[in-house]
mmCIF file of all heavy atoms in Angstrom:
data_model
loop_
_atom_site.group_PDB
_atom_site.id
_atom_site.type_symbol
_atom_site.label_atom_id
_atom_site.label_comp_id
_atom_site.label_asym_id
_atom_site.label_seq_id
_atom_site.Cartn_x
_atom_site.Cartn_y
_atom_site.Cartn_z
ATOM 1 N N TYR A 1 -22.363 -15.509 -41.828
ATOM 2 C CA TYR A 1 -21.528 -16.010 -40.746
ATOM 3 C C TYR A 1 -20.824 -17.282 -41.220
ATOM 4 O O TYR A 1 -19.620 -17.394 -40.936
ATOM 5 C CB TYR A 1 -22.341 -16.279 -39.484
ATOM 6 C CG TYR A 1 -21.453 -16.576 -38.243
ATOM 7 C CD1 TYR A 1 -20.730 -15.544 -37.615
ATOM 8 C CD2 TYR A 1 -21.315 -17.833 -37.735
ATOM 9 C CE1 TYR A 1 -19.961 -15.741 -36.538
ATOM 10 C CE2 TYR A 1 -20.444 -18.070 -36.624
ATOM 11 C CZ TYR A 1 -19.812 -17.015 -36.039
ATOM 12 O OH TYR A 1 -18.970 -17.339 -34.949
ATOM 13 N N ALA A 2 -21.461 -18.153 -41.928
ATOM 14 C CA ALA A 2 -20.902 -19.317 -42.463
ATOM 15 C C ALA A 2 -19.642 -18.941 -43.401
ATOM 16 O O ALA A 2 -18.622 -19.610 -43.440
ATOM 17 C CB ALA A 2 -21.861 -20.178 -43.200
ATOM 18 N N PHE A 3 -19.856 -17.899 -44.253
ATOM 19 C CA PHE A 3 -18.835 -17.442 -45.107
ATOM 20 C C PHE A 3 -17.626 -16.853 -44.293
ATOM 21 O O PHE A 3 -16.466 -17.194 -44.660
ATOM 22 C CB PHE A 3 -19.494 -16.303 -45.994
ATOM 23 C CG PHE A 3 -18.503 -15.458 -46.711
ATOM 24 C CD1 PHE A 3 -17.956 -15.887 -47.918
ATOM 25 C CD2 PHE A 3 -17.948 -14.275 -46.170
ATOM 26 C CE1 PHE A 3 -17.096 -15.077 -48.653
ATOM 27 C CE2 PHE A 3 -17.006 -13.461 -46.834
ATOM 28 C CZ PHE A 3 -16.588 -13.842 -48.125
ATOM 29 N N LEU A 4 -17.932 -16.145 -43.225
ATOM 30 C CA LEU A 4 -16.796 -15.662 -42.433
ATOM 31 C C LEU A 4 -16.051 -16.804 -41.744
ATOM 32 O O LEU A 4 -14.871 -16.718 -41.556
ATOM 33 C CB LEU A 4 -17.381 -14.696 -41.362
ATOM 34 C CG LEU A 4 -18.000 -13.392 -41.903
ATOM 35 C CD1 LEU A 4 -18.725 -12.601 -40.842
ATOM 36 C CD2 LEU A 4 -17.031 -12.565 -42.667
ATOM 37 N N GLN A 5 -16.789 -17.816 -41.291
ATOM 38 C CA GLN A 5 -16.076 -18.998 -40.667
ATOM 39 C C GLN A 5 -15.266 -19.686 -41.759
ATOM 40 O O GLN A 5 -14.094 -20.033 -41.490
ATOM 41 C CB GLN A 5 -17.094 -19.999 -40.262
ATOM 42 C CG GLN A 5 -17.903 -19.593 -38.925
ATOM 43 C CD GLN A 5 -19.002 -20.558 -38.617
ATOM 44 O OE1 GLN A 5 -19.823 -20.867 -39.500
ATOM 45 N NE2 GLN A 5 -19.015 -21.040 -37.389
ATOM 46 N N ALA A 6 -15.830 -19.961 -42.917
ATOM 47 C CA ALA A 6 -15.099 -20.664 -44.036
ATOM 48 C C ALA A 6 -13.866 -20.048 -44.432
ATOM 49 O O ALA A 6 -12.809 -20.609 -44.683
ATOM 50 C CB ALA A 6 -16.011 -20.812 -45.196
ATOM 51 N N THR A 7 -13.887 -18.649 -44.403
ATOM 52 C CA THR A 7 -12.688 -17.818 -44.997
ATOM 53 C C THR A 7 -11.865 -17.313 -43.857
ATOM 54 O O THR A 7 -10.949 -16.489 -44.125
ATOM 55 C CB THR A 7 -13.262 -16.760 -45.885
ATOM 56 O OG1 THR A 7 -14.240 -15.957 -45.145
ATOM 57 C CG2 THR A 7 -13.854 -17.297 -47.132
ATOM 58 N N GLY A 8 -12.013 -17.720 -42.657
ATOM 59 C CA GLY A 8 -11.036 -17.405 -41.482
ATOM 60 C C GLY A 8 -11.191 -16.033 -40.951
ATOM 61 O O GLY A 8 -10.380 -15.599 -40.088
ATOM 62 N N PHE A 9 -12.169 -15.303 -41.319
ATOM 63 C CA PHE A 9 -12.428 -14.027 -40.632
ATOM 64 C C PHE A 9 -12.919 -14.298 -39.209
ATOM 65 O O PHE A 9 -12.741 -13.432 -38.347
ATOM 66 C CB PHE A 9 -13.499 -13.103 -41.380
ATOM 67 C CG PHE A 9 -12.898 -12.595 -42.721
ATOM 68 C CD1 PHE A 9 -13.102 -13.296 -43.853
ATOM 69 C CD2 PHE A 9 -12.108 -11.484 -42.732
ATOM 70 C CE1 PHE A 9 -12.609 -12.799 -45.029
ATOM 71 C CE2 PHE A 9 -11.555 -10.986 -43.864
ATOM 72 C CZ PHE A 9 -11.809 -11.637 -45.098
ATOM 73 N N VAL A 10 -13.524 -15.482 -39.033
ATOM 74 C CA VAL A 10 -13.879 -15.912 -37.771
ATOM 75 C C VAL A 10 -13.328 -17.355 -37.633
ATOM 76 O O VAL A 10 -13.608 -18.150 -38.465
ATOM 77 C CB VAL A 10 -15.454 -16.036 -37.464
ATOM 78 C CG1 VAL A 10 -15.824 -16.675 -36.207
ATOM 79 C CG2 VAL A 10 -16.078 -14.640 -37.653
ATOM 80 N N ASN A 11 -12.563 -17.638 -36.623
ATOM 81 C CA ASN A 11 -12.055 -18.972 -36.413
ATOM 82 C C ASN A 11 -12.820 -19.651 -35.270
ATOM 83 O O ASN A 11 -12.681 -19.286 -34.098
ATOM 84 C CB ASN A 11 -10.570 -18.957 -36.097
ATOM 85 C CG ASN A 11 -9.937 -20.342 -35.878
ATOM 86 O OD1 ASN A 11 -10.565 -21.269 -35.572
ATOM 87 N ND2 ASN A 11 -8.623 -20.465 -36.123
ATOM 88 N N ASP A 12 -13.730 -20.594 -35.725
ATOM 89 C CA ASP A 12 -14.524 -21.277 -34.755
ATOM 90 C C ASP A 12 -14.144 -22.724 -34.511
ATOM 91 O O ASP A 12 -14.991 -23.522 -34.059
ATOM 92 C CB ASP A 12 -16.068 -21.243 -35.224
ATOM 93 C CG ASP A 12 -16.675 -19.972 -34.741
ATOM 94 O OD1 ASP A 12 -16.146 -19.260 -33.860
ATOM 95 O OD2 ASP A 12 -17.831 -19.651 -35.248
ATOM 96 N N HIS A 13 -12.897 -23.045 -34.911
ATOM 97 C CA HIS A 13 -12.477 -24.441 -34.553
ATOM 98 C C HIS A 13 -12.504 -24.520 -33.020
ATOM 99 O O HIS A 13 -12.054 -23.609 -32.280
ATOM 100 C CB HIS A 13 -10.979 -24.670 -35.051
ATOM 101 C CG HIS A 13 -10.916 -24.975 -36.480
ATOM 102 N ND1 HIS A 13 -11.334 -26.209 -37.056
ATOM 103 C CD2 HIS A 13 -10.489 -24.237 -37.499
ATOM 104 C CE1 HIS A 13 -11.072 -26.152 -38.366
ATOM 105 N NE2 HIS A 13 -10.602 -24.975 -38.652
ATOM 106 N N LEU A 14 -12.965 -25.676 -32.571
ATOM 107 C CA LEU A 14 -13.106 -25.865 -31.086
ATOM 108 C C LEU A 14 -11.705 -25.983 -30.427
ATOM 109 O O LEU A 14 -10.750 -26.437 -31.043
ATOM 110 C CB LEU A 14 -13.886 -27.129 -30.825
ATOM 111 C CG LEU A 14 -15.368 -27.167 -31.231
ATOM 112 C CD1 LEU A 14 -16.009 -28.438 -30.925
ATOM 113 C CD2 LEU A 14 -16.173 -25.987 -30.681
ATOM 114 N N THR A 15 -11.665 -25.568 -29.134
ATOM 115 C CA THR A 15 -10.539 -25.791 -28.414
ATOM 116 C C THR A 15 -10.327 -27.342 -28.314
ATOM 117 O O THR A 15 -11.291 -28.041 -28.032
ATOM 118 C CB THR A 15 -10.716 -25.282 -26.958
ATOM 119 O OG1 THR A 15 -11.050 -23.845 -27.065
ATOM 120 C CG2 THR A 15 -9.515 -25.439 -26.088
ATOM 121 N N GLY A 16 -9.175 -27.817 -28.637
ATOM 122 C CA GLY A 16 -8.931 -29.219 -28.696
ATOM 123 C C GLY A 16 -8.953 -29.768 -30.112
ATOM 124 O O GLY A 16 -8.515 -30.904 -30.302
ATOM 125 N N CYS A 17 -9.358 -28.911 -31.109
ATOM 126 C CA CYS A 17 -9.284 -29.372 -32.446
ATOM 127 C C CYS A 17 -7.903 -29.201 -33.019
ATOM 128 O O CYS A 17 -7.189 -28.225 -32.709
ATOM 129 C CB CYS A 17 -10.227 -28.519 -33.317
ATOM 130 S SG CYS A 17 -10.133 -28.880 -35.095
ATOM 131 N N ARG A 18 -7.437 -30.101 -33.766
ATOM 132 C CA ARG A 18 -6.054 -30.221 -34.341
ATOM 133 C C ARG A 18 -5.830 -28.993 -35.247
ATOM 134 O O ARG A 18 -4.695 -28.652 -35.601
ATOM 135 C CB ARG A 18 -5.815 -31.499 -35.053
ATOM 136 C CG ARG A 18 -6.687 -31.665 -36.349
ATOM 137 C CD ARG A 18 -6.368 -32.922 -37.109
ATOM 138 N NE ARG A 18 -6.691 -34.150 -36.407
ATOM 139 C CZ ARG A 18 -6.190 -35.310 -36.705
ATOM 140 N NH1 ARG A 18 -5.343 -35.443 -37.707
ATOM 141 N NH2 ARG A 18 -6.560 -36.362 -36.002
ATOM 142 N N CYS A 19 -6.915 -28.341 -35.709
ATOM 143 C CA CYS A 19 -6.805 -27.249 -36.713
ATOM 144 C C CYS A 19 -7.017 -25.864 -36.091
ATOM 145 O O CYS A 19 -7.363 -24.863 -36.785
ATOM 146 C CB CYS A 19 -7.789 -27.413 -37.823
ATOM 147 S SG CYS A 19 -7.478 -28.920 -38.739
ATOM 148 N N LYS A 20 -6.933 -25.769 -34.755
ATOM 149 C CA LYS A 20 -7.172 -24.523 -34.093
ATOM 150 C C LYS A 20 -6.364 -23.304 -34.616
ATOM 151 O O LYS A 20 -6.836 -22.197 -34.737
ATOM 152 C CB LYS A 20 -7.005 -24.656 -32.591
ATOM 153 C CG LYS A 20 -7.578 -23.369 -31.804
ATOM 154 C CD LYS A 20 -9.013 -23.101 -32.024
ATOM 155 C CE LYS A 20 -9.455 -21.910 -31.323
ATOM 156 N NZ LYS A 20 -10.742 -21.476 -31.766
ATOM 157 N N GLY A 21 -5.078 -23.614 -34.986
ATOM 158 C CA GLY A 21 -4.167 -22.569 -35.529
ATOM 159 C C GLY A 21 -4.700 -22.150 -36.965
ATOM 160 O O GLY A 21 -5.579 -22.750 -37.480
ATOM 161 N N GLY A 22 -4.093 -21.187 -37.625
ATOM 162 C CA GLY A 22 -4.490 -20.790 -38.908
ATOM 163 C C GLY A 22 -3.299 -20.518 -39.806
ATOM 164 O O GLY A 22 -2.155 -20.248 -39.320
ATOM 165 N N ARG A 23 -3.462 -20.532 -41.127
ATOM 166 C CA ARG A 23 -2.413 -20.069 -42.062
ATOM 167 C C ARG A 23 -3.063 -19.383 -43.164
ATOM 168 O O ARG A 23 -4.277 -19.605 -43.508
ATOM 169 C CB ARG A 23 -1.652 -21.257 -42.566
ATOM 170 C CG ARG A 23 -2.403 -22.308 -43.386
ATOM 171 C CD ARG A 23 -1.493 -23.375 -43.891
ATOM 172 N NE ARG A 23 -2.307 -24.491 -44.452
ATOM 173 C CZ ARG A 23 -2.982 -24.379 -45.587
ATOM 174 N NH1 ARG A 23 -2.994 -23.264 -46.293
ATOM 175 N NH2 ARG A 23 -3.719 -25.421 -46.057
ATOM 176 N N GLN A 24 -2.276 -18.608 -43.995
ATOM 177 C CA GLN A 24 -2.798 -17.850 -45.068
ATOM 178 C C GLN A 24 -3.127 -18.794 -46.249
ATOM 179 O O GLN A 24 -2.372 -19.829 -46.441
ATOM 180 C CB GLN A 24 -1.776 -16.774 -45.567
ATOM 181 C CG GLN A 24 -2.354 -15.578 -46.200
ATOM 182 C CD GLN A 24 -3.197 -14.703 -45.363
ATOM 183 O OE1 GLN A 24 -3.378 -14.948 -44.181
ATOM 184 N NE2 GLN A 24 -3.743 -13.748 -45.954
ATOM 185 N N GLN A 25 -4.214 -18.517 -46.985
ATOM 186 C CA GLN A 25 -4.572 -19.375 -48.113
ATOM 187 C C GLN A 25 -4.576 -18.538 -49.354
ATOM 188 O O GLN A 25 -5.041 -17.386 -49.370
ATOM 189 C CB GLN A 25 -5.969 -19.858 -47.834
ATOM 190 C CG GLN A 25 -6.386 -20.877 -48.847
ATOM 191 C CD GLN A 25 -7.817 -21.406 -48.522
ATOM 192 O OE1 GLN A 25 -8.230 -21.361 -47.390
ATOM 193 N NE2 GLN A 25 -8.486 -21.886 -49.523
ATOM 194 N N THR A 26 -3.996 -19.041 -50.451
ATOM 195 C CA THR A 26 -4.044 -18.336 -51.763
ATOM 196 C C THR A 26 -4.712 -19.189 -52.776
ATOM 197 O O THR A 26 -5.005 -20.398 -52.622
ATOM 198 C CB THR A 26 -2.561 -18.070 -52.146
ATOM 199 O OG1 THR A 26 -1.850 -19.242 -52.155
ATOM 200 C CG2 THR A 26 -1.873 -16.983 -51.212
ATOM 201 N N ALA A 27 -5.003 -18.528 -53.915
ATOM 202 C CA ALA A 27 -5.719 -19.240 -54.947
ATOM 203 C C ALA A 27 -4.970 -20.461 -55.484
ATOM 204 O O ALA A 27 -3.763 -20.294 -55.618
ATOM 205 C CB ALA A 27 -6.077 -18.234 -56.067
#
């Protein structure tokens, strides 16, 4: 689950967090 959170398969940023949105990440 921590892996899924870290890699954006699950977005658990809290409502109100400045990072709630997401973007693609490359190497």
Side-chain angles (χ1 to χ4, degrees):
Y1 192 72
F3 168 85
L4 296 174
Q5 289 173 307
T7 54
F9 289 96
V10 175
N11 183 333
D12 275 345
H13 282 287
L14 296 180
T15 303
C17 174
R18 64 176 69 199
C19 298
K20 188 60 182 170
R23 65 176 167 73
Q24 204 67 2
Q25 184 178 339
T26 54

